[in-house]
Short mmCIF file of all heavy atoms in Angstrom, two decimals:
data_model
loop_
_atom_site.label_atom_id
_atom_site.label_comp_id
_atom_site.label_asym_id
_atom_site.label_seq_id
_atom_site.Cartn_x
_atom_site.Cartn_y
_atom_site.Cartn_z
N MET A 25 26.45 42.51 38.28
CA MET A 25 27.76 42.82 38.85
C MET A 25 27.60 43.89 39.93
O MET A 25 26.82 44.81 39.79
CB MET A 25 28.70 43.36 37.76
CG MET A 25 30.06 43.82 38.28
SD MET A 25 30.82 45.07 37.24
CE MET A 25 31.21 44.15 35.77
N ARG A 26 28.35 43.71 41.00
CA ARG A 26 28.46 44.76 42.01
C ARG A 26 29.94 45.06 42.23
O ARG A 26 30.78 44.15 42.15
CB ARG A 26 27.85 44.33 43.35
CG ARG A 26 26.34 44.37 43.40
CD ARG A 26 25.84 44.04 44.79
NE ARG A 26 26.33 42.74 45.23
CZ ARG A 26 27.20 42.56 46.24
NH1 ARG A 26 27.65 43.59 46.91
NH2 ARG A 26 27.61 41.35 46.56
N ILE A 27 30.25 46.29 42.50
CA ILE A 27 31.61 46.69 42.81
C ILE A 27 31.64 47.13 44.27
O ILE A 27 30.85 47.98 44.68
CB ILE A 27 32.07 47.86 41.92
CG1 ILE A 27 31.98 47.49 40.45
CG2 ILE A 27 33.49 48.29 42.30
CD1 ILE A 27 32.21 48.67 39.49
N THR A 28 32.51 46.51 45.06
CA THR A 28 32.64 46.94 46.45
C THR A 28 34.05 47.45 46.69
O THR A 28 35.03 46.93 46.14
CB THR A 28 32.31 45.81 47.44
OG1 THR A 28 33.15 44.69 47.18
CG2 THR A 28 30.85 45.39 47.31
N ILE A 29 34.12 48.48 47.51
CA ILE A 29 35.41 49.06 47.87
C ILE A 29 35.52 49.08 49.38
O ILE A 29 34.52 49.22 50.09
CB ILE A 29 35.57 50.49 47.31
CG1 ILE A 29 34.43 51.40 47.78
CG2 ILE A 29 35.63 50.46 45.79
CD1 ILE A 29 34.57 52.83 47.36
N ASP A 30 36.73 48.90 49.87
CA ASP A 30 36.99 48.92 51.31
C ASP A 30 37.91 50.10 51.59
O ASP A 30 39.13 50.00 51.45
CB ASP A 30 37.62 47.60 51.74
CG ASP A 30 37.80 47.52 53.26
OD1 ASP A 30 37.71 48.57 53.93
OD2 ASP A 30 38.04 46.41 53.75
N ARG A 31 37.30 51.19 51.97
CA ARG A 31 38.09 52.41 52.18
C ARG A 31 38.99 52.30 53.41
O ARG A 31 39.94 53.07 53.55
CB ARG A 31 37.15 53.61 52.28
CG ARG A 31 36.55 53.99 50.93
CD ARG A 31 35.41 54.98 51.07
NE ARG A 31 35.71 56.14 51.86
CZ ARG A 31 36.27 57.28 51.39
NH1 ARG A 31 36.57 57.37 50.11
NH2 ARG A 31 36.50 58.29 52.18
N ASP A 32 38.70 51.36 54.32
CA ASP A 32 39.58 51.16 55.47
C ASP A 32 40.90 50.53 55.06
O ASP A 32 41.91 50.71 55.73
CB ASP A 32 38.89 50.29 56.53
CG ASP A 32 37.72 51.00 57.18
OD1 ASP A 32 37.74 52.25 57.23
OD2 ASP A 32 36.79 50.32 57.62
N ARG A 33 40.88 49.75 53.96
CA ARG A 33 42.11 49.13 53.48
C ARG A 33 42.88 50.05 52.54
O ARG A 33 44.09 49.94 52.41
CB ARG A 33 41.79 47.84 52.71
CG ARG A 33 41.20 46.75 53.54
CD ARG A 33 40.94 45.53 52.68
NE ARG A 33 42.18 44.81 52.40
CZ ARG A 33 42.48 43.63 52.92
NH1 ARG A 33 41.65 43.04 53.73
NH2 ARG A 33 43.61 43.05 52.63
N CYS A 34 42.18 50.91 51.84
CA CYS A 34 42.77 51.74 50.80
C CYS A 34 43.93 52.58 51.33
O CYS A 34 43.84 53.17 52.41
CB CYS A 34 41.69 52.66 50.22
SG CYS A 34 42.30 53.78 48.95
N ILE A 35 45.03 52.58 50.56
CA ILE A 35 46.19 53.39 50.93
C ILE A 35 46.40 54.55 49.95
O ILE A 35 47.42 55.23 50.00
CB ILE A 35 47.47 52.52 51.01
CG1 ILE A 35 47.75 51.83 49.68
CG2 ILE A 35 47.36 51.51 52.15
CD1 ILE A 35 49.10 51.14 49.61
N GLY A 36 45.44 54.73 49.06
CA GLY A 36 45.47 55.90 48.20
C GLY A 36 46.49 55.86 47.08
O GLY A 36 46.95 56.90 46.61
N SER A 37 46.83 54.67 46.63
CA SER A 37 47.88 54.56 45.61
C SER A 37 47.41 54.97 44.21
O SER A 37 48.22 55.31 43.37
CB SER A 37 48.41 53.13 45.57
OG SER A 37 47.37 52.24 45.24
N GLY A 38 46.12 54.88 43.96
CA GLY A 38 45.57 55.42 42.72
C GLY A 38 45.49 54.50 41.53
O GLY A 38 45.03 54.90 40.46
N GLN A 39 45.93 53.25 41.66
CA GLN A 39 45.87 52.35 40.50
C GLN A 39 44.45 52.12 40.01
O GLN A 39 44.23 51.92 38.82
CB GLN A 39 46.51 50.99 40.82
CG GLN A 39 48.01 51.00 40.72
CD GLN A 39 48.65 51.28 42.06
OE1 GLN A 39 48.04 51.90 42.92
NE2 GLN A 39 49.87 50.84 42.23
N CYS A 40 43.49 52.12 40.92
CA CYS A 40 42.10 51.90 40.49
C CYS A 40 41.64 53.01 39.55
O CYS A 40 41.06 52.74 38.50
CB CYS A 40 41.18 51.80 41.71
SG CYS A 40 41.28 53.21 42.83
N ALA A 41 41.91 54.24 39.93
CA ALA A 41 41.48 55.37 39.11
C ALA A 41 42.26 55.45 37.80
O ALA A 41 41.76 55.94 36.80
CB ALA A 41 41.62 56.67 39.90
N MET A 42 43.50 54.95 37.81
CA MET A 42 44.28 54.93 36.57
C MET A 42 43.82 53.80 35.65
O MET A 42 43.85 53.94 34.43
CB MET A 42 45.77 54.78 36.87
CG MET A 42 46.39 56.06 37.40
SD MET A 42 48.18 55.95 37.53
CE MET A 42 48.36 55.02 39.03
N THR A 43 43.41 52.69 36.26
CA THR A 43 43.01 51.52 35.48
C THR A 43 41.62 51.69 34.87
O THR A 43 41.39 51.33 33.72
CB THR A 43 43.05 50.26 36.36
OG1 THR A 43 44.36 50.11 36.88
CG2 THR A 43 42.66 49.01 35.58
N ALA A 44 40.70 52.22 35.65
CA ALA A 44 39.33 52.41 35.16
C ALA A 44 38.84 53.82 35.52
O ALA A 44 37.95 54.00 36.35
CB ALA A 44 38.40 51.35 35.75
N PRO A 45 39.44 54.82 34.88
CA PRO A 45 39.00 56.19 35.15
C PRO A 45 37.55 56.38 34.72
O PRO A 45 37.10 55.76 33.77
CB PRO A 45 39.95 57.03 34.30
CG PRO A 45 40.41 56.11 33.21
CD PRO A 45 40.45 54.74 33.83
N GLY A 46 36.84 57.16 35.47
CA GLY A 46 35.42 57.34 35.18
C GLY A 46 34.55 56.43 36.02
O GLY A 46 33.36 56.68 36.18
N VAL A 47 35.13 55.36 36.53
CA VAL A 47 34.40 54.46 37.44
C VAL A 47 34.94 54.63 38.86
O VAL A 47 34.18 54.73 39.81
CB VAL A 47 34.54 52.99 36.99
CG1 VAL A 47 33.80 52.07 37.95
CG2 VAL A 47 34.01 52.82 35.57
N PHE A 48 36.27 54.68 38.97
CA PHE A 48 36.91 54.88 40.26
C PHE A 48 37.54 56.27 40.27
O PHE A 48 38.12 56.72 39.29
CB PHE A 48 38.01 53.84 40.50
CG PHE A 48 37.50 52.44 40.61
CD1 PHE A 48 37.34 51.66 39.48
CD2 PHE A 48 37.16 51.90 41.84
CE1 PHE A 48 36.86 50.36 39.56
CE2 PHE A 48 36.67 50.61 41.94
CZ PHE A 48 36.52 49.84 40.80
N THR A 49 37.44 56.91 41.42
CA THR A 49 38.13 58.18 41.61
C THR A 49 38.64 58.20 43.04
O THR A 49 38.53 57.22 43.77
CB THR A 49 37.18 59.36 41.31
OG1 THR A 49 37.90 60.58 41.37
CG2 THR A 49 36.01 59.39 42.28
N GLN A 50 39.27 59.30 43.42
CA GLN A 50 39.81 59.41 44.76
C GLN A 50 39.31 60.70 45.39
O GLN A 50 39.15 61.72 44.70
CB GLN A 50 41.35 59.42 44.71
CG GLN A 50 41.92 58.07 44.29
CD GLN A 50 43.40 58.15 43.97
OE1 GLN A 50 43.76 58.50 42.86
NE2 GLN A 50 44.24 57.85 44.95
N ASP A 51 39.06 60.64 46.71
CA ASP A 51 38.56 61.83 47.39
C ASP A 51 39.73 62.74 47.79
O ASP A 51 40.88 62.50 47.41
CB ASP A 51 37.68 61.43 48.58
CG ASP A 51 38.46 60.73 49.68
OD1 ASP A 51 39.71 60.76 49.66
OD2 ASP A 51 37.81 60.15 50.58
N ASP A 52 39.43 63.75 48.58
CA ASP A 52 40.47 64.72 48.94
C ASP A 52 41.59 64.10 49.77
O ASP A 52 42.69 64.65 49.85
CB ASP A 52 39.84 65.88 49.71
CG ASP A 52 38.96 66.74 48.81
OD1 ASP A 52 39.09 66.64 47.57
OD2 ASP A 52 38.14 67.52 49.35
N ASP A 53 41.30 62.95 50.40
CA ASP A 53 42.33 62.24 51.16
C ASP A 53 42.99 61.15 50.32
O ASP A 53 43.74 60.33 50.85
CB ASP A 53 41.71 61.62 52.41
CG ASP A 53 41.20 62.68 53.38
OD1 ASP A 53 41.89 63.71 53.52
OD2 ASP A 53 40.12 62.49 53.97
N ALA A 54 42.69 61.12 49.03
CA ALA A 54 43.24 60.15 48.07
C ALA A 54 42.63 58.76 48.22
O ALA A 54 43.09 57.82 47.59
CB ALA A 54 44.76 60.07 48.13
N LEU A 55 41.60 58.61 49.05
CA LEU A 55 41.00 57.30 49.23
C LEU A 55 40.01 57.02 48.10
O LEU A 55 39.37 57.91 47.57
CB LEU A 55 40.28 57.21 50.58
CG LEU A 55 41.17 57.37 51.79
CD1 LEU A 55 40.35 57.27 53.07
CD2 LEU A 55 42.31 56.35 51.80
N VAL A 56 39.92 55.74 47.76
CA VAL A 56 39.08 55.31 46.65
C VAL A 56 37.62 55.70 46.86
O VAL A 56 37.08 55.61 47.97
CB VAL A 56 39.21 53.79 46.44
CG1 VAL A 56 38.73 53.01 47.66
CG2 VAL A 56 38.46 53.34 45.18
N THR A 57 37.00 56.13 45.80
CA THR A 57 35.57 56.43 45.78
C THR A 57 35.02 55.97 44.44
O THR A 57 35.67 56.14 43.41
CB THR A 57 35.35 57.96 45.91
OG1 THR A 57 35.97 58.42 47.10
CG2 THR A 57 33.87 58.29 45.96
N LEU A 58 33.86 55.35 44.49
CA LEU A 58 33.19 55.00 43.23
C LEU A 58 32.47 56.22 42.70
O LEU A 58 31.84 56.96 43.45
CB LEU A 58 32.16 53.89 43.46
CG LEU A 58 32.64 52.45 43.43
CD1 LEU A 58 31.47 51.53 43.74
CD2 LEU A 58 33.25 52.10 42.09
N VAL A 59 32.59 56.43 41.42
CA VAL A 59 31.80 57.48 40.79
C VAL A 59 30.33 57.09 40.94
O VAL A 59 29.96 55.94 40.70
CB VAL A 59 32.18 57.63 39.30
CG1 VAL A 59 31.27 58.61 38.60
CG2 VAL A 59 33.64 58.06 39.18
N PRO A 60 29.49 58.02 41.41
CA PRO A 60 28.08 57.68 41.64
C PRO A 60 27.44 57.05 40.40
O PRO A 60 27.66 57.49 39.28
CB PRO A 60 27.45 59.04 41.95
CG PRO A 60 28.57 59.84 42.52
CD PRO A 60 29.80 59.40 41.76
N GLY A 61 26.67 55.99 40.67
CA GLY A 61 25.97 55.29 39.60
C GLY A 61 26.63 54.00 39.20
O GLY A 61 26.04 53.21 38.45
N TYR A 62 27.84 53.73 39.70
CA TYR A 62 28.55 52.52 39.30
C TYR A 62 28.57 51.44 40.37
O TYR A 62 29.26 50.42 40.21
CB TYR A 62 29.98 52.85 38.86
CG TYR A 62 30.01 53.56 37.53
CD1 TYR A 62 30.32 54.91 37.46
CD2 TYR A 62 29.71 52.88 36.36
CE1 TYR A 62 30.33 55.57 36.25
CE2 TYR A 62 29.71 53.53 35.14
CZ TYR A 62 30.02 54.87 35.10
OH TYR A 62 30.03 55.53 33.89
N GLU A 63 27.80 51.64 41.44
CA GLU A 63 27.78 50.62 42.50
C GLU A 63 27.28 49.28 41.98
O GLU A 63 27.67 48.23 42.48
CB GLU A 63 26.89 51.08 43.66
CG GLU A 63 27.39 52.32 44.38
CD GLU A 63 26.99 53.62 43.69
OE1 GLU A 63 26.35 53.57 42.62
OE2 GLU A 63 27.32 54.68 44.25
N GLU A 64 26.40 49.34 41.01
CA GLU A 64 25.82 48.11 40.47
C GLU A 64 26.60 47.60 39.26
O GLU A 64 26.13 46.71 38.54
CB GLU A 64 24.35 48.33 40.09
CG GLU A 64 23.48 48.78 41.25
CD GLU A 64 23.48 47.77 42.40
OE1 GLU A 64 23.46 46.56 42.12
OE2 GLU A 64 23.51 48.20 43.56
N GLY A 65 27.76 48.18 39.01
CA GLY A 65 28.61 47.68 37.95
C GLY A 65 28.57 48.53 36.70
O GLY A 65 27.93 49.59 36.65
N THR A 66 29.28 48.06 35.69
CA THR A 66 29.42 48.80 34.44
C THR A 66 29.82 47.83 33.34
O THR A 66 30.34 46.74 33.61
CB THR A 66 30.50 49.89 34.58
OG1 THR A 66 30.77 50.44 33.29
CG2 THR A 66 31.80 49.34 35.14
N GLU A 67 29.59 48.20 32.13
CA GLU A 67 30.03 47.40 30.99
C GLU A 67 31.51 47.64 30.68
O GLU A 67 32.08 46.94 29.84
CB GLU A 67 29.19 47.74 29.75
CG GLU A 67 27.72 47.42 29.89
CD GLU A 67 27.47 45.94 30.06
OE1 GLU A 67 28.06 45.14 29.29
OE2 GLU A 67 26.71 45.58 30.97
N ASP A 68 32.11 48.61 31.34
CA ASP A 68 33.52 48.94 31.08
C ASP A 68 34.40 47.75 31.47
O ASP A 68 34.50 47.42 32.66
CB ASP A 68 33.90 50.18 31.91
CG ASP A 68 35.29 50.68 31.58
OD1 ASP A 68 36.11 49.90 31.06
OD2 ASP A 68 35.55 51.87 31.85
N PRO A 69 35.03 47.09 30.51
CA PRO A 69 35.80 45.88 30.83
C PRO A 69 37.03 46.16 31.69
O PRO A 69 37.58 45.24 32.31
CB PRO A 69 36.20 45.34 29.45
CG PRO A 69 36.19 46.53 28.55
CD PRO A 69 35.08 47.42 29.07
N ARG A 70 37.45 47.40 31.75
CA ARG A 70 38.66 47.71 32.54
C ARG A 70 38.46 47.47 34.02
O ARG A 70 39.44 47.28 34.75
CB ARG A 70 39.08 49.17 32.28
CG ARG A 70 39.50 49.42 30.84
CD ARG A 70 39.82 50.87 30.60
NE ARG A 70 38.64 51.72 30.77
CZ ARG A 70 38.62 53.02 30.54
NH1 ARG A 70 39.72 53.62 30.14
NH2 ARG A 70 37.52 53.72 30.73
N VAL A 71 37.22 47.50 34.50
CA VAL A 71 37.00 47.32 35.94
C VAL A 71 37.48 45.94 36.41
O VAL A 71 37.85 45.78 37.57
CB VAL A 71 35.53 47.53 36.35
CG1 VAL A 71 35.07 48.93 36.03
CG2 VAL A 71 34.62 46.49 35.73
N HIS A 72 37.51 44.96 35.49
CA HIS A 72 37.92 43.62 35.89
C HIS A 72 39.41 43.56 36.20
O HIS A 72 39.87 42.61 36.84
CB HIS A 72 37.55 42.61 34.80
CG HIS A 72 36.07 42.48 34.64
ND1 HIS A 72 35.29 41.77 35.51
CD2 HIS A 72 35.23 43.00 33.72
CE1 HIS A 72 34.02 41.85 35.13
NE2 HIS A 72 33.96 42.59 34.04
N ASP A 73 40.17 44.53 35.75
CA ASP A 73 41.60 44.57 36.04
C ASP A 73 41.91 45.26 37.37
O ASP A 73 43.03 45.18 37.87
CB ASP A 73 42.35 45.31 34.92
CG ASP A 73 42.25 44.58 33.60
OD1 ASP A 73 42.16 43.34 33.61
OD2 ASP A 73 42.27 45.27 32.55
N VAL A 74 40.90 45.93 37.92
CA VAL A 74 41.16 46.75 39.11
C VAL A 74 41.48 45.92 40.36
O VAL A 74 42.43 46.26 41.09
CB VAL A 74 40.00 47.73 39.37
CG1 VAL A 74 40.16 48.45 40.70
CG2 VAL A 74 39.91 48.72 38.22
N PRO A 75 40.77 44.83 40.65
CA PRO A 75 41.13 44.08 41.86
C PRO A 75 42.58 43.63 41.87
O PRO A 75 43.24 43.68 42.92
CB PRO A 75 40.16 42.89 41.83
CG PRO A 75 38.96 43.43 41.13
CD PRO A 75 39.53 44.32 40.04
N MET A 76 43.11 43.21 40.72
CA MET A 76 44.51 42.79 40.68
C MET A 76 45.46 43.99 40.74
O MET A 76 46.59 43.86 41.21
CB MET A 76 44.77 42.00 39.40
CG MET A 76 44.18 40.61 39.41
SD MET A 76 44.93 39.55 40.66
CE MET A 76 46.56 39.34 39.94
N ALA A 77 44.99 45.13 40.28
CA ALA A 77 45.85 46.32 40.26
C ALA A 77 46.00 46.94 41.64
O ALA A 77 47.02 47.57 41.94
CB ALA A 77 45.28 47.36 39.28
N CYS A 78 45.00 46.76 42.47
CA CYS A 78 45.04 47.36 43.80
C CYS A 78 46.05 46.62 44.68
O CYS A 78 45.94 45.40 44.83
CB CYS A 78 43.65 47.33 44.44
SG CYS A 78 43.66 47.96 46.14
N PRO A 79 46.99 47.31 45.28
CA PRO A 79 48.03 46.63 46.06
C PRO A 79 47.55 46.10 47.41
O PRO A 79 48.27 45.32 48.03
CB PRO A 79 49.09 47.72 46.25
CG PRO A 79 48.34 48.99 46.17
CD PRO A 79 47.23 48.76 45.16
N VAL A 80 46.37 46.50 47.84
CA VAL A 80 45.91 46.07 49.18
C VAL A 80 44.55 45.36 49.12
O VAL A 80 43.87 45.22 50.13
CB VAL A 80 45.84 47.27 50.16
CG1 VAL A 80 47.23 47.80 50.45
CG2 VAL A 80 44.94 48.37 49.62
N GLN A 81 44.16 44.91 47.94
CA GLN A 81 42.91 44.15 47.77
C GLN A 81 41.70 44.89 48.36
O GLN A 81 40.89 44.32 49.08
CB GLN A 81 43.02 42.75 48.39
CG GLN A 81 43.96 41.81 47.67
CD GLN A 81 45.42 42.05 48.03
OE1 GLN A 81 45.75 42.16 49.19
NE2 GLN A 81 46.27 42.14 47.03
N ALA A 82 41.62 46.17 48.05
CA ALA A 82 40.51 46.97 48.57
C ALA A 82 39.31 47.01 47.64
O ALA A 82 38.29 47.59 48.00
CB ALA A 82 41.00 48.40 48.84
N VAL A 83 39.44 46.41 46.46
CA VAL A 83 38.37 46.45 45.48
C VAL A 83 37.97 45.02 45.11
O VAL A 83 38.82 44.18 44.84
CB VAL A 83 38.81 47.18 44.19
CG1 VAL A 83 37.69 47.16 43.14
CG2 VAL A 83 39.21 48.62 44.52
N GLU A 84 36.68 44.75 45.14
CA GLU A 84 36.18 43.43 44.72
C GLU A 84 35.07 43.62 43.69
O GLU A 84 34.25 44.53 43.80
CB GLU A 84 35.64 42.64 45.91
CG GLU A 84 36.72 42.23 46.88
CD GLU A 84 36.20 41.33 47.99
OE1 GLU A 84 34.96 41.10 48.05
OE2 GLU A 84 37.02 40.88 48.79
N ILE A 85 35.09 42.74 42.70
CA ILE A 85 34.03 42.69 41.69
C ILE A 85 33.22 41.43 41.97
O ILE A 85 33.77 40.33 42.02
CB ILE A 85 34.63 42.62 40.27
CG1 ILE A 85 35.60 43.76 40.01
CG2 ILE A 85 33.50 42.59 39.23
CD1 ILE A 85 35.01 45.13 40.00
N HIS A 86 31.94 41.59 42.15
CA HIS A 86 31.05 40.47 42.44
C HIS A 86 30.15 40.25 41.23
O HIS A 86 29.35 41.13 40.89
CB HIS A 86 30.20 40.76 43.67
CG HIS A 86 31.00 41.18 44.87
ND1 HIS A 86 31.49 40.29 45.79
CD2 HIS A 86 31.43 42.41 45.26
CE1 HIS A 86 32.17 40.95 46.71
NE2 HIS A 86 32.15 42.23 46.42
N GLU A 87 30.34 39.12 40.58
CA GLU A 87 29.48 38.81 39.44
C GLU A 87 28.17 38.23 39.95
O GLU A 87 28.17 37.44 40.89
CB GLU A 87 30.18 37.82 38.52
CG GLU A 87 31.48 38.33 37.93
CD GLU A 87 31.30 39.50 36.97
OE1 GLU A 87 30.17 39.79 36.57
OE2 GLU A 87 32.32 40.14 36.64
N ASP A 88 27.08 38.61 39.34
CA ASP A 88 25.78 38.10 39.75
C ASP A 88 25.61 36.66 39.31
O ASP A 88 26.19 36.21 38.36
CB ASP A 88 24.67 38.97 39.16
CG ASP A 88 24.72 40.38 39.75
OD1 ASP A 88 25.15 40.51 40.91
OD2 ASP A 88 24.33 41.32 39.04
S1 SF4 B 121 44.23 50.98 43.94
FE1 SF4 B 121 43.53 50.24 45.94
S2 SF4 B 121 44.81 51.29 47.43
FE2 SF4 B 121 45.02 52.38 45.48
S3 SF4 B 121 43.50 54.05 45.57
FE3 SF4 B 121 42.53 52.29 44.56
S4 SF4 B 121 41.51 51.13 46.21
FE4 SF4 B 121 42.98 52.52 47.16
#
């Protein structure tokens, strides 16, 4: 699994960090940031809900 984020699309709404805290966070400008170490994915099942939770489709989960 890979997790990709598009910070150019992100509007800082925060659903990603609320849906899967510890994997997604927000920087000082409220833009999405992956917590280091999770670029290659995680066993946390909540990450699969994040693409649908994001209002601007800024998060994609790529299954290997
Ligand atoms: S849910 Fe989407 S728009 Fe909101 S902070 Fe996360 S990536 Fe950005």
Side-chain angles (χ1 to χ4, degrees):
M25 176 206 291
R26 283 185 303 113
I27 302 171
T28 56
I29 56 176
D30 185 345
R31 287 168 51 87
D32 291 333
R33 295 181 76 109
C34 178
I35 58 171
S37 61
Q39 279 93 335
C40 55
M42 285 188 281
T43 302
V47 179
F48 295 88
T49 186
Q50 291 168 275
D51 66 13
D52 291 343
D53 295 321
L55 298 180
V56 63
T57 303
L58 274 177
V59 174
Y62 289 108
E63 295 84 357
E64 301 301 321
T66 170
E67 297 296 313
D68 186 338
R70 296 176 295 184
V71 299
H72 294 283
D73 295 330
V74 173
M76 287 295 291
C78 176
V80 293
Q81 291 81 47
V83 177
E84 292 186 355
I85 306 294
H86 307 270
E87 299 294 347
D88 294 330

